[in-house]
Amino acid sequence: MIRVDRQEVTAVPSYGSARTRRRAALAAGVGNFMEWFDFAVYGFFAPTMGKVFFPDSSATVGLLSSLAVFGVAFFFRPIGGLVLGSLGDRRGRRFALSVSVVMMGATTTLIAALPSYQTAGMLAPVLLVVLRCLQGFSAGGEWTGSAAYLLEMTPGNRRGVYGSVISATAALATVAGSFSALVVESLVGADSLVSWGWRIPFLAAAPLALAGLYVRLRLAETPVFEELKAQGKVADKPLRSAGRKDLKPVLLTLAIAAVQGLGFYYLATYVVNYLSETVDLSRTTSLQLSAAGLLVYTALCPVAGAVSDRLGRRRVNLAGSVGYIVLGLPAFVLMGRGDVASVLLGMLLLIVPQSLVSVTTVVMLVELFPAATRSSGSATGFNIALAFVAGPGPFVASAIASATGSSVWPASYLVVVALVATVFLARHLPETAGRDIGAGDRPAEPDLVGEAR
């Protein structure tokens, strides 16, 4: 068994007080919440958005078109990750996070003001695609930037617990998105929902963005970045340095993020549409069940973080990936039955492995990379995975369900991705728990007790 010797962990000095770390967690959580609320709202309103922007299509084609627009934003995540990640390495973690939260808030608010297809014709879906691409750009630096900022403020033996804030707030934001969808759909009639009701949750982006910006501008820079500046190690061209020296960490990040991102979007976005469109549950019931599952996931994230602090990241991450391989199809068999107990049990089979892979991915985004290229390198691998594997996930799953007429086979994409990633990670993923993530040229290896050589 791998066990991190807490007495031997090398840590970055001067983390500040517990109050400072709590403020850092709040800042990371608020911005991360806003990003994923905005994305979740679009996912939950995908059937309605299909009617607004693709009205001449059948219900199935309209949903697939709307989900395709959902996925296209992810192709701009790598570009945003490169730009915002580079800013984080050159100008500081706080600066990059402030830029991302403003961009996300502005683009989401503009979506609320878009004309419908009936009003503007083809211009309407074109503008929707443009704004979704800008959303993807801004989101490209948020998850990895939040992870870098928060964990550079955190002692080595508590990174898993603190990192769970990123995963948990993403789930809470999705719950808030589902709750807003439920409220709007219950208060607004079907016709009003298509004409104007869908715009209400998108308008919430403006105050959320202002709150996120306010919190983040009040924070100090991380001690790790201050250390880089003091030692004259801030990279002038971090992208070039990351591409030359960090290829293996980038590939490892791509693999762990592929499973983490795809699993999260199955759980947070696809499941609710699956329950309503494939299993034929009511929209209200689907939203309620999805929200209940995500609340359980939120509660499990700090548990998964604490386990990874004790047992290490590698073992916990691989356990989650294997969990998807083994439990993916049974989960959809259960959910496909349609009764409440079976749906919740099926969701639990997805929730447990997702909590394990998600929290460990957050932490390894930081522990795998040297400080000078951390934002750039982690954003590159993470966002490539989300662009080409996770982002299209809801579309691929819906297409499989439509083509096969099966309530089980949509799980196959998730299972195959987890299998391929696990084969690679089992061979190449190192243990990173306890690494020194300070201003050294490379992360110092952890001191582990009982690790097989």
Side-chain angles (χ1 to χ4, degrees), residues 69-163:
V69 176
F70 177 85
V72 76
F74 286 88
F75 290 101
F76 278 75
R77 287 187 68 119
I79 301 173
L82 292 175
V83 174
L84 296 174
S86 179
L87 281 177
D89 285 329
R90 291 186 293 109
R91 298 285 301 275
R93 318 307 192 204
R94 187 188 71 161
F95 178 82
L97 287 179
S98 299
V99 172
S100 70
V101 78
V102 170
M103 285 192 64
M104 176 62 75
T107 53
T108 306
T109 303
L110 287 173
I111 288 178
L114 283 178
S116 67
Y117 183 91
Q118 290 182 340
T119 301
M122 280 302 299
L123 179 62
V126 168
L127 290 175
L128 177 64
V129 170
V130 170
L131 290 177
R132 286 291 296 161
C133 291
L134 291 175
Q135 273 191 326
F137 181 94
S138 60
E142 177 61 38
W143 185 283
T144 54
S146 294
Y149 184 88
L150 178 56
L151 298 182
E152 286 182 356
M153 304 284 282
T154 305
N157 61 358
R158 298 282 289 170
R159 289 180 201 144
V161 173
Y162 274 88

Side-chain angles (χ1 to χ4, degrees), residues 342-436:
S342 295
V343 169
L344 290 176
L345 181 58
M347 289 188 68
L348 185 62
L349 296 186
L350 299 177
I351 287 165
V352 172
Q354 180 60 27
S355 66
L356 300 179
V357 299
S358 183
V359 175
T360 51
T361 296
V362 169
V363 183
M364 287 191 288
L365 289 173
V366 176
E367 293 176 338
L368 282 169
F369 291 90
T373 57
R374 179 165 294 139
S375 291
S376 302
S378 62
T380 299
F382 184 82
N383 287 299
I384 288 174
L386 265 66
F388 296 101
V389 180
F395 176 82
V396 173
S398 293
I400 292 173
S402 177
T404 63
S406 169
S407 62
V408 177
W409 283 113
S412 60
Y413 181 56
L414 176 60
V415 172
V416 169
V417 169
L419 177 61
V420 172
T422 299
V423 171
F424 175 76
L425 293 171
R427 181 175 178 83
H428 298 289
L429 183 66
E431 180 53 64
T432 63
R435 280 186 170 183
D436 178 0

